Amino acid sequence: MKTLFILNDAPYGTERSYNGLRLAKAVSKLADQQVQVFLMGDAVACAKDGQKVPAGYYNAGDMVKMVVAGGEVGLCGTCMTARGIEDGELVPGAVRKTLADLAKKAEEEKNAKALDDQFKAAVAKGDAAFREKKWDE
């Protein structure tokens, strides 16, 4: 199963992006899971490499690295440009994307779910037909 997380909040000040990254990391460790994170707005700063935070405080860049290890992380290119973040400043594995990329990914997921639902329905129909057959005759 594929799970797409879209984060919008800054890496620090609220815990929304922090908790979204934590959840993405946890889901990526589950069997048969593929995680994709798309950072938009102020959340693109989560993927900036070389963040210096106070001792004992979480580092959003390190958290993005952990998600990249088990999934994909894309960043809104327009949002990056607006905040003066260049591609070379990102943590390894995080990549500049577009809203068109995000829309395409959402459409692919929708189509994949529809195919999966059709497959499950066909299997259920076949199983029901198989159970109705009298094999002793």
Side-chain angles (χ1 to χ4, degrees):
M1 179 177 199
K2 294 180 181 180
T3 305
L4 173 63
F5 294 86
I6 301 173
L7 305 180
N8 291 286
D9 272 13
Y12 309 105
T14 74
E15 292 187 353
R16 288 186 194 111
S17 288
Y18 165 71
N19 286 321
L21 291 168
R22 287 178 54 216
L23 181 58
K25 179 184 167 197
V27 170
S28 73
K29 292 183 176 195
L30 299 174
D32 298 322
Q33 291 291 323
Q34 293 179 350
V35 169
Q36 299 161 335
V37 175
F38 193 84
L39 304 175
M40 308 181 67
D42 287 340
V44 297
C46 292
K48 191 163 183 339
D49 203 14
Q51 297 179 38
K52 307 279 191 262
V53 298
Y57 206 70
Y58 69 89
N59 183 311
D62 290 344
M63 296 182 71
V64 170
K65 289 177 193 175
M66 289 183 240
V67 174
V68 167
E72 299 175 27
V73 177
L75 288 79
C76 169
T78 303
C79 303
M80 287 175 58
T81 300
R83 287 155 184 82
I85 300 173
E86 300 291 332
D87 293 6
E89 297 178 272
L90 301 178
V91 298
V95 294
R96 176 185 293 262
K97 297 278 186 171
T98 66
L99 287 181
D101 294 329
L102 178 60
K104 181 179 176 186
K105 188 63 74 176
E107 183 66 20
E108 288 171 0
E109 297 306 316
K110 179 180 147 190
N111 291 340
K113 182 174 181 341
L115 284 174
D116 189 51
D117 290 346
Q118 290 173 359
F119 173 76
K120 288 177 182 175
V123 168
K125 184 177 178 181
D127 286 347
F130 185 77
R131 282 190 296 274
E132 290 178 12
K133 179 75 174 162
K134 295 186 179 173
W135 298 99
D136 297 358
E137 298 174 359

PDB file of all heavy atoms in Angstrom, residues 25-56:
ATOM      1  N   LYS A  25       7.737   8.057   8.941  1.00  0.00           N
ATOM      2  CA  LYS A  25       8.812   7.121   9.278  1.00  0.00           C
ATOM      3  C   LYS A  25       8.239   5.814   9.838  1.00  0.00           C
ATOM      4  O   LYS A  25       8.655   4.723   9.447  1.00  0.00           O
ATOM      5  CB  LYS A  25       9.758   7.759  10.290  1.00  0.00           C
ATOM      6  CG  LYS A  25      10.881   6.856  10.727  1.00  0.00           C
ATOM      7  CD  LYS A  25      11.718   7.520  11.806  1.00  0.00           C
ATOM      8  CE  LYS A  25      12.631   6.510  12.457  1.00  0.00           C
ATOM      9  NZ  LYS A  25      13.162   6.963  13.716  1.00  0.00           N
ATOM     10  N   ALA A  26       7.268   5.926  10.740  1.00  0.00           N
ATOM     11  CA  ALA A  26       6.666   4.729  11.343  1.00  0.00           C
ATOM     12  C   ALA A  26       5.943   3.886  10.297  1.00  0.00           C
ATOM     13  O   ALA A  26       6.083   2.658  10.270  1.00  0.00           O
ATOM     14  CB  ALA A  26       5.704   5.135  12.462  1.00  0.00           C
ATOM     15  N   VAL A  27       5.186   4.524   9.413  1.00  0.00           N
ATOM     16  CA  VAL A  27       4.454   3.791   8.376  1.00  0.00           C
ATOM     17  C   VAL A  27       5.424   3.110   7.412  1.00  0.00           C
ATOM     18  O   VAL A  27       5.185   1.993   6.968  1.00  0.00           O
ATOM     19  CB  VAL A  27       3.485   4.736   7.617  1.00  0.00           C
ATOM     20  CG1 VAL A  27       2.893   4.054   6.389  1.00  0.00           C
ATOM     21  CG2 VAL A  27       2.381   5.209   8.545  1.00  0.00           C
ATOM     22  N   SER A  28       6.549   3.772   7.120  1.00  0.00           N
ATOM     23  CA  SER A  28       7.514   3.187   6.178  1.00  0.00           C
ATOM     24  C   SER A  28       8.113   1.884   6.691  1.00  0.00           C
ATOM     25  O   SER A  28       8.607   1.083   5.909  1.00  0.00           O
ATOM     26  CB  SER A  28       8.632   4.187   5.861  1.00  0.00           C
ATOM     27  OG  SER A  28       9.519   4.332   6.946  1.00  0.00           O
ATOM     28  N   LYS A  29       8.052   1.681   7.989  1.00  0.00           N
ATOM     29  CA  LYS A  29       8.614   0.458   8.572  1.00  0.00           C
ATOM     30  C   LYS A  29       7.633  -0.714   8.575  1.00  0.00           C
ATOM     31  O   LYS A  29       8.015  -1.834   8.875  1.00  0.00           O
ATOM     32  CB  LYS A  29       9.089   0.733   9.994  1.00  0.00           C
ATOM     33  CG  LYS A  29      10.286   1.661  10.026  1.00  0.00           C
ATOM     34  CD  LYS A  29      10.801   1.864  11.421  1.00  0.00           C
ATOM     35  CE  LYS A  29      12.043   2.726  11.368  1.00  0.00           C
ATOM     36  NZ  LYS A  29      12.794   2.701  12.605  1.00  0.00           N
ATOM     37  N   LEU A  30       6.377  -0.452   8.235  1.00  0.00           N
ATOM     38  CA  LEU A  30       5.378  -1.509   8.179  1.00  0.00           C
ATOM     39  C   LEU A  30       5.557  -2.329   6.904  1.00  0.00           C
ATOM     40  O   LEU A  30       6.026  -1.826   5.893  1.00  0.00           O
ATOM     41  CB  LEU A  30       3.970  -0.921   8.216  1.00  0.00           C
ATOM     42  CG  LEU A  30       3.608  -0.118   9.463  1.00  0.00           C
ATOM     43  CD1 LEU A  30       2.233   0.524   9.288  1.00  0.00           C
ATOM     44  CD2 LEU A  30       3.642  -0.994  10.702  1.00  0.00           C
ATOM     45  N   ALA A  31       5.140  -3.580   6.967  1.00  0.00           N
ATOM     46  CA  ALA A  31       5.254  -4.464   5.806  1.00  0.00           C
ATOM     47  C   ALA A  31       4.374  -3.958   4.664  1.00  0.00           C
ATOM     48  O   ALA A  31       3.276  -3.459   4.890  1.00  0.00           O
ATOM     49  CB  ALA A  31       4.840  -5.891   6.198  1.00  0.00           C
ATOM     50  N   ASP A  32       4.870  -4.091   3.462  1.00  0.00           N
ATOM     51  CA  ASP A  32       4.128  -3.743   2.241  1.00  0.00           C
ATOM     52  C   ASP A  32       3.668  -2.290   2.200  1.00  0.00           C
ATOM     53  O   ASP A  32       2.586  -1.994   1.703  1.00  0.00           O
ATOM     54  CB  ASP A  32       2.924  -4.683   2.059  1.00  0.00           C
ATOM     55  CG  ASP A  32       3.349  -6.128   1.905  1.00  0.00           C
ATOM     56  OD1 ASP A  32       4.384  -6.368   1.251  1.00  0.00           O
ATOM     57  OD2 ASP A  32       2.660  -7.007   2.439  1.00  0.00           O
ATOM     58  N   GLN A  33       4.462  -1.392   2.734  1.00  0.00           N
ATOM     59  CA  GLN A  33       4.129   0.034   2.724  1.00  0.00           C
ATOM     60  C   GLN A  33       5.154   0.818   1.912  1.00  0.00           C
ATOM     61  O   GLN A  33       6.344   0.556   2.009  1.00  0.00           O
ATOM     62  CB  GLN A  33       4.102   0.601   4.146  1.00  0.00           C
ATOM     63  CG  GLN A  33       2.962   0.104   4.983  1.00  0.00           C
ATOM     64  CD  GLN A  33       1.630   0.640   4.502  1.00  0.00           C
ATOM     65  OE1 GLN A  33       1.508   1.785   4.070  1.00  0.00           O
ATOM     66  NE2 GLN A  33       0.605  -0.183   4.568  1.00  0.00           N
ATOM     67  N   GLN A  34       4.665   1.740   1.127  1.00  0.00           N
ATOM     68  CA  GLN A  34       5.520   2.678   0.409  1.00  0.00           C
ATOM     69  C   GLN A  34       5.079   4.075   0.830  1.00  0.00           C
ATOM     70  O   GLN A  34       3.906   4.418   0.709  1.00  0.00           O
ATOM     71  CB  GLN A  34       5.369   2.518  -1.100  1.00  0.00           C
ATOM     72  CG  GLN A  34       5.888   1.198  -1.618  1.00  0.00           C
ATOM     73  CD  GLN A  34       5.692   1.087  -3.122  1.00  0.00           C
ATOM     74  OE1 GLN A  34       5.024   1.897  -3.743  1.00  0.00           O
ATOM     75  NE2 GLN A  34       6.279   0.061  -3.708  1.00  0.00           N
ATOM     76  N   VAL A  35       6.026   4.848   1.338  1.00  0.00           N
ATOM     77  CA  VAL A  35       5.717   6.176   1.853  1.00  0.00           C
ATOM     78  C   VAL A  35       6.282   7.239   0.926  1.00  0.00           C
ATOM     79  O   VAL A  35       7.420   7.141   0.460  1.00  0.00           O
ATOM     80  CB  VAL A  35       6.289   6.352   3.276  1.00  0.00           C
ATOM     81  CG1 VAL A  35       6.221   7.790   3.728  1.00  0.00           C
ATOM     82  CG2 VAL A  35       5.550   5.464   4.256  1.00  0.00           C
ATOM     83  N   GLN A  36       5.459   8.241   0.677  1.00  0.00           N
ATOM     84  CA  GLN A  36       5.882   9.406  -0.094  1.00  0.00           C
ATOM     85  C   GLN A  36       5.478  10.637   0.705  1.00  0.00           C
ATOM     86  O   GLN A  36       4.352  10.725   1.192  1.00  0.00           O
ATOM     87  CB  GLN A  36       5.210   9.418  -1.463  1.00  0.00           C
ATOM     88  CG  GLN A  36       5.575   8.210  -2.277  1.00  0.00           C
ATOM     89  CD  GLN A  36       4.608   7.947  -3.407  1.00  0.00           C
ATOM     90  OE1 GLN A  36       3.458   8.340  -3.347  1.00  0.00           O
ATOM     91  NE2 GLN A  36       5.081   7.282  -4.431  1.00  0.00           N
ATOM     92  N   VAL A  37       6.421  11.567   0.848  1.00  0.00           N
ATOM     93  CA  VAL A  37       6.160  12.815   1.559  1.00  0.00           C
ATOM     94  C   VAL A  37       6.373  13.957   0.578  1.00  0.00           C
ATOM     95  O   VAL A  37       7.369  13.971  -0.154  1.00  0.00           O
ATOM     96  CB  VAL A  37       7.092  12.969   2.783  1.00  0.00           C
ATOM     97  CG1 VAL A  37       6.899  14.324   3.444  1.00  0.00           C
ATOM     98  CG2 VAL A  37       6.854  11.848   3.788  1.00  0.00           C
ATOM     99  N   PHE A  38       5.433  14.890   0.554  1.00  0.00           N
ATOM    100  CA  PHE A  38       5.567  16.083  -0.275  1.00  0.00           C
ATOM    101  C   PHE A  38       5.549  17.281   0.661  1.00  0.00           C
ATOM    102  O   PHE A  38       4.594  17.469   1.418  1.00  0.00           O
ATOM    103  CB  PHE A  38       4.432  16.177  -1.296  1.00  0.00           C
ATOM    104  CG  PHE A  38       4.678  17.204  -2.372  1.00  0.00           C
ATOM    105  CD1 PHE A  38       5.443  16.882  -3.481  1.00  0.00           C
ATOM    106  CD2 PHE A  38       4.158  18.485  -2.269  1.00  0.00           C
ATOM    107  CE1 PHE A  38       5.679  17.814  -4.482  1.00  0.00           C
ATOM    108  CE2 PHE A  38       4.385  19.419  -3.261  1.00  0.00           C
ATOM    109  CZ  PHE A  38       5.153  19.094  -4.371  1.00  0.00           C
ATOM    110  N   LEU A  39       6.629  18.060   0.637  1.00  0.00           N
ATOM    111  CA  LEU A  39       6.758  19.232   1.490  1.00  0.00           C
ATOM    112  C   LEU A  39       6.399  20.476   0.684  1.00  0.00           C
ATOM    113  O   LEU A  39       6.955  20.697  -0.398  1.00  0.00           O
ATOM    114  CB  LEU A  39       8.185  19.344   2.024  1.00  0.00           C
ATOM    115  CG  LEU A  39       8.711  18.123   2.793  1.00  0.00           C
ATOM    116  CD1 LEU A  39      10.174  18.315   3.158  1.00  0.00           C
ATOM    117  CD2 LEU A  39       7.873  17.859   4.027  1.00  0.00           C
ATOM    118  N   MET A  40       5.485  21.276   1.218  1.00  0.00           N
ATOM    119  CA  MET A  40       5.041  22.505   0.557  1.00  0.00           C
ATOM    120  C   MET A  40       5.157  23.664   1.545  1.00  0.00           C
ATOM    121  O   MET A  40       5.253  23.451   2.749  1.00  0.00           O
ATOM    122  CB  MET A  40       3.571  22.422   0.144  1.00  0.00           C
ATOM    123  CG  MET A  40       3.166  21.238  -0.641  1.00  0.00           C
ATOM    124  SD  MET A  40       1.419  21.307  -1.081  1.00  0.00           S
ATOM    125  CE  MET A  40       1.405  22.695  -2.189  1.00  0.00           C
ATOM    126  N   GLY A  41       5.055  24.875   1.017  1.00  0.00           N
ATOM    127  CA  GLY A  41       5.069  26.054   1.878  1.00  0.00           C
ATOM    128  C   GLY A  41       6.291  26.047   2.782  1.00  0.00           C
ATOM    129  O   GLY A  41       7.399  25.680   2.376  1.00  0.00           O
ATOM    130  N   ASP A  42       6.094  26.448   4.019  1.00  0.00           N
ATOM    131  CA  ASP A  42       7.206  26.518   4.963  1.00  0.00           C
ATOM    132  C   ASP A  42       7.804  25.151   5.290  1.00  0.00           C
ATOM    133  O   ASP A  42       8.925  25.062   5.788  1.00  0.00           O
ATOM    134  CB  ASP A  42       6.764  27.207   6.254  1.00  0.00           C
ATOM    135  CG  ASP A  42       6.564  28.703   6.091  1.00  0.00           C
ATOM    136  OD1 ASP A  42       7.101  29.276   5.127  1.00  0.00           O
ATOM    137  OD2 ASP A  42       5.860  29.303   6.928  1.00  0.00           O
ATOM    138  N   ALA A  43       7.085  24.077   4.997  1.00  0.00           N
ATOM    139  CA  ALA A  43       7.596  22.731   5.288  1.00  0.00           C
ATOM    140  C   ALA A  43       8.829  22.379   4.461  1.00  0.00           C
ATOM    141  O   ALA A  43       9.587  21.486   4.847  1.00  0.00           O
ATOM    142  CB  ALA A  43       6.509  21.685   5.078  1.00  0.00           C
ATOM    143  N   VAL A  44       9.076  23.087   3.340  1.00  0.00           N
ATOM    144  CA  VAL A  44      10.265  22.775   2.541  1.00  0.00           C
ATOM    145  C   VAL A  44      11.541  22.970   3.360  1.00  0.00           C
ATOM    146  O   VAL A  44      12.546  22.308   3.105  1.00  0.00           O
ATOM    147  CB  VAL A  44      10.333  23.575   1.214  1.00  0.00           C
ATOM    148  CG1 VAL A  44       9.172  23.217   0.307  1.00  0.00           C
ATOM    149  CG2 VAL A  44      10.410  25.068   1.459  1.00  0.00           C
ATOM    150  N   ALA A  45      11.499  23.832   4.364  1.00  0.00           N
ATOM    151  CA  ALA A  45      12.675  24.053   5.212  1.00  0.00           C
ATOM    152  C   ALA A  45      13.019  22.822   6.052  1.00  0.00           C
ATOM    153  O   ALA A  45      14.147  22.712   6.541  1.00  0.00           O
ATOM    154  CB  ALA A  45      12.461  25.267   6.111  1.00  0.00           C
ATOM    155  N   CYS A  46      12.089  21.892   6.187  1.00  0.00           N
ATOM    156  CA  CYS A  46      12.374  20.646   6.912  1.00  0.00           C
ATOM    157  C   CYS A  46      13.527  19.890   6.265  1.00  0.00           C
ATOM    158  O   CYS A  46      14.284  19.205   6.951  1.00  0.00           O
ATOM    159  CB  CYS A  46      11.147  19.737   6.941  1.00  0.00           C
ATOM    160  SG  CYS A  46       9.757  20.320   7.904  1.00  0.00           S
ATOM    161  N   ALA A  47      13.650  19.984   4.949  1.00  0.00           N
ATOM    162  CA  ALA A  47      14.632  19.189   4.205  1.00  0.00           C
ATOM    163  C   ALA A  47      15.948  19.928   3.981  1.00  0.00           C
ATOM    164  O   ALA A  47      16.805  19.446   3.245  1.00  0.00           O
ATOM    165  CB  ALA A  47      14.042  18.760   2.866  1.00  0.00           C
ATOM    166  N   LYS A  48      16.130  21.072   4.618  1.00  0.00           N
ATOM    167  CA  LYS A  48      17.389  21.811   4.461  1.00  0.00           C
ATOM    168  C   LYS A  48      18.476  21.094   5.242  1.00  0.00           C
ATOM    169  O   LYS A  48      18.313  20.787   6.423  1.00  0.00           O
ATOM    170  CB  LYS A  48      17.227  23.248   4.958  1.00  0.00           C
ATOM    171  CG  LYS A  48      18.401  24.133   4.584  1.00  0.00           C
ATOM    172  CD  LYS A  48      18.025  25.594   4.712  1.00  0.00           C
ATOM    173  CE  LYS A  48      19.081  26.569   4.306  1.00  0.00           C
ATOM    174  NZ  LYS A  48      20.429  26.191   4.254  1.00  0.00           N
ATOM    175  N   ASP A  49      19.571  20.808   4.573  1.00  0.00           N
ATOM    176  CA  ASP A  49      20.695  20.103   5.202  1.00  0.00           C
ATOM    177  C   ASP A  49      21.467  21.054   6.116  1.00  0.00           C
ATOM    178  O   ASP A  49      21.450  22.267   5.927  1.00  0.00           O
ATOM    179  CB  ASP A  49      21.623  19.544   4.121  1.00  0.00           C
ATOM    180  CG  ASP A  49      22.464  18.382   4.600  1.00  0.00           C
ATOM    181  OD1 ASP A  49      22.168  17.819   5.672  1.00  0.00           O
ATOM    182  OD2 ASP A  49      23.408  18.016   3.888  1.00  0.00           O
ATOM    183  N   GLY A  50      22.125  20.492   7.104  1.00  0.00           N
ATOM    184  CA  GLY A  50      23.002  21.271   7.968  1.00  0.00           C
ATOM    185  C   GLY A  50      22.305  22.110   9.009  1.00  0.00           C
ATOM    186  O   GLY A  50      22.873  23.099   9.485  1.00  0.00           O
ATOM    187  N   GLN A  51      21.102  21.738   9.402  1.00  0.00           N
ATOM    188  CA  GLN A  51      20.391  22.503  10.425  1.00  0.00           C
ATOM    189  C   GLN A  51      21.103  22.379  11.772  1.00  0.00           C
ATOM    190  O   GLN A  51      21.546  21.308  12.150  1.00  0.00           O
ATOM    191  CB  GLN A  51      18.946  22.011  10.551  1.00  0.00           C
ATOM    192  CG  GLN A  51      18.145  22.212   9.281  1.00  0.00           C
ATOM    193  CD  GLN A  51      16.732  21.695   9.407  1.00  0.00           C
ATOM    194  OE1 GLN A  51      16.094  21.817  10.440  1.00  0.00           O
ATOM    195  NE2 GLN A  51      16.227  21.103   8.331  1.00  0.00           N
ATOM    196  N   LYS A  52      21.184  23.488  12.485  1.00  0.00           N
ATOM    197  CA  LYS A  52      21.796  23.524  13.818  1.00  0.00           C
ATOM    198  C   LYS A  52      20.678  23.816  14.816  1.00  0.00           C
ATOM    199  O   LYS A  52      20.079  24.881  14.786  1.00  0.00           O
ATOM    200  CB  LYS A  52      22.858  24.624  13.890  1.00  0.00           C
ATOM    201  CG  LYS A  52      23.908  24.561  12.794  1.00  0.00           C
ATOM    202  CD  LYS A  52      24.974  23.546  13.108  1.00  0.00           C
ATOM    203  CE  LYS A  52      26.147  23.672  12.173  1.00  0.00           C
ATOM    204  NZ  LYS A  52      26.156  22.753  11.076  1.00  0.00           N
ATOM    205  N   VAL A  53      20.431  22.871  15.675  1.00  0.00           N
ATOM    206  CA  VAL A  53      19.362  23.037  16.670  1.00  0.00           C
ATOM    207  C   VAL A  53      19.949  22.895  18.078  1.00  0.00           C
ATOM    208  O   VAL A  53      21.008  22.291  18.250  1.00  0.00           O
ATOM    209  CB  VAL A  53      18.228  22.012  16.448  1.00  0.00           C
ATOM    210  CG1 VAL A  53      17.569  22.212  15.098  1.00  0.00           C
ATOM    211  CG2 VAL A  53      18.731  20.592  16.564  1.00  0.00           C
ATOM    212  N   PRO A  54      19.258  23.432  19.088  1.00  0.00           N
ATOM    213  CA  PRO A  54      19.751  23.298  20.464  1.00  0.00           C
ATOM    214  C   PRO A  54      19.847  21.831  20.883  1.00  0.00           C
ATOM    215  O   PRO A  54      19.096  20.979  20.388  1.00  0.00           O
ATOM    216  CB  PRO A  54      18.693  24.020  21.293  1.00  0.00           C
ATOM    217  CG  PRO A  54      17.970  24.917  20.341  1.00  0.00           C
ATOM    218  CD  PRO A  54      18.040  24.234  19.010  1.00  0.00           C
ATOM    219  N   ALA A  55      20.745  21.564  21.785  1.00  0.00           N
ATOM    220  CA  ALA A  55      20.910  20.203  22.306  1.00  0.00           C
ATOM    221  C   ALA A  55      19.583  19.703  22.866  1.00  0.00           C
ATOM    222  O   ALA A  55      18.861  20.442  23.545  1.00  0.00           O
ATOM    223  CB  ALA A  55      21.983  20.179  23.391  1.00  0.00           C
ATOM    224  N   GLY A  56      19.238  18.483  22.526  1.00  0.00           N
ATOM    225  CA  GLY A  56      18.017  17.864  23.018  1.00  0.00           C
ATOM    226  C   GLY A  56      16.788  18.165  22.175  1.00  0.00           C
ATOM    227  O   GLY A  56      15.700  17.683  22.470  1.00  0.00           O
TER     228      GLY A  56
END
